[in-house]
Amino acid sequence: MDSKIQGGQLNEAKIDHVHMEDSLFDYLCETPDKLSITRFKTELEKTGLRETDHRLKESMAKIASIQSENIKREGHAYDFLDRETFKKCIADNIVLIAKAFREEFVIPDFSTFCQDIDKLYEKGKSNTAGTTASYIPQLARFNPNLWGVSVCTVDGQRYSIGDTEVPFCLQSVGKAMTYALVLSDLSSEVVHQYVGQEPSGQPFNMLCLNPNNKPHNPMINAGAIVTCSLLKKDLNLADRFDFTNKMYKRMAGNEYLSFNNSVFLSERETADRNFALGYYMRENKCFPKGTNLIELLDFYFQCCSAEITCESGAVIAATLANGGICPTTGDKVLQPAAIRDTLSLMLSCGMYDYSGQFAFKVGLPAKSGVSGGVMLVVPNVMGIYMWSPPLDQYGNSSRGIQFCENLVDCFNFHNYDNLNHNHEKRDPRVRKVDTQSSNVVTLLFSAFNGDVTDLRRCAIAGMDMSTPDYDGRTALHIAAAEGHLDVIKFLLFKCKVSPFAVDRWGFTALDDAKRFEKVEAGELLLKSMQDIRPDYLYQPHSHD
Ligand code: GLU
């Protein structure tokens, strides 16, 4: 419980949750005294919470034990809970459950969002461009049809589609993670005495340094080898590996994180370029004192060979999106300042030689790896991990890139998508009812107040100026009833709203002008109706 909530506030919060437990039961039960467990779990899943979510552990354990007692007693599972048992079951995790059902998560309408993700995933499926990396056999063997997308929001809402439980290795995605770890451990000042912050404009494994004889940035091989040399440099190799593994696992919310030894051995076997980079950098004094180059390169290959799945990768991405706190465990894994720096360099350098175009088109920090993974971060909203082995000419997953580009065509996630004036893209952070009703309220009040300036702003922002409220009343009806000629002219002639729209009682705007004796408004409306339908004759409408 938040320590800031004290005294009276705490009591209020408790009482509120007691009500919530009852309301949940009332809204979800199909018969007055029984609630289906399956139904409860299905509705919960629609909010993005999984029943395996660690944060629901207590409630799910109670439900499971009630079910197993039933099996013991009756010989079969019983799907229903009565009110008191239900309340007891959910009490321990009611804060999270209440948040879910009140639609207070960052993506309130999560199931609609998931339907959109499904569509984007399907588009990616038909993209067969690209070829799987072949420099080591472990990568070359992957089936090119494998394709998975996993989402984890900063509230821990989860969604996965496709091959999201197949393990694959991090490869260069690990570069962003080790950089974040090093920054959290040392400071940005210390780390950047060894590595720059500029895109190199060269291929990721190019044998080159910047004018200060440092690697250009931590997202290319030379830079990542240097960040590895800084990571817990005073420990021995085994302990450095353990530390990194443990931290990766914490970023992934304790989900799948393994080590692929055959990838590691193959990487080491085919590493002439990385060895060359290492010696070149040693000659140029790029490493801290006491660095053992052979050990360091082993450590670098081990970081590339850590294995994840799309599922666990999405949690890692969400930890970055959430300022370093893992959303599913609440574990404060990384420092917020380290996240800021990591995301900045992912944005400018994370996607090989496509980084500039990616920042331009997608406008979000991302890092990709030669195994076909793309880790995308929508800061403060969600992490998305895409994985498909075929790579494009830049070494990025073809399907992953397509998915990212389609995603920002659909949602206003691009860094510079303007939240206020872009009505063509959806903002899944906003509740549907909220946007719809607040738009209508703005329109009707502006019409009521005779405020053409405000109506013009609404029109420019792309609002539908004929949107009715729940009674079918439109801005034109209100303006007619109030006799605001300027507003009526603006709506009719600039916005081309129809003067024939009727409210739920069948009244047109002209009826309103007549009823409220707004003579000039009535004449204006009648004329515009006859301009559209020359045979139109006004017949007073009366509702009975
Ligand atoms: N293990 C690869 C290397 O160091 C990383 C490749 C990548 O994902 O960019 O060459």
Side-chain angles (χ1 to χ4, degrees), residues 197-209:
Q197 291 115 325
E198 288 297 330
S200 69
Q202 304 285 345
F204 72 104
N205 59 1
M206 193 68 180
L207 199 67
C208 69
L209 297 172

Side-chain angles (χ1 to χ4, degrees), residues 135 171-172 175 204 221 267 274 300 304 352 369-370:
Y135 73 98
Q171 291 293 356
S172 280
K175 291 179 165 89
F204 72 104
N221 282 19
E267 287 287 341
N274 288 322
Y300 168 76
C304 292
Y352 302 115
V370 79

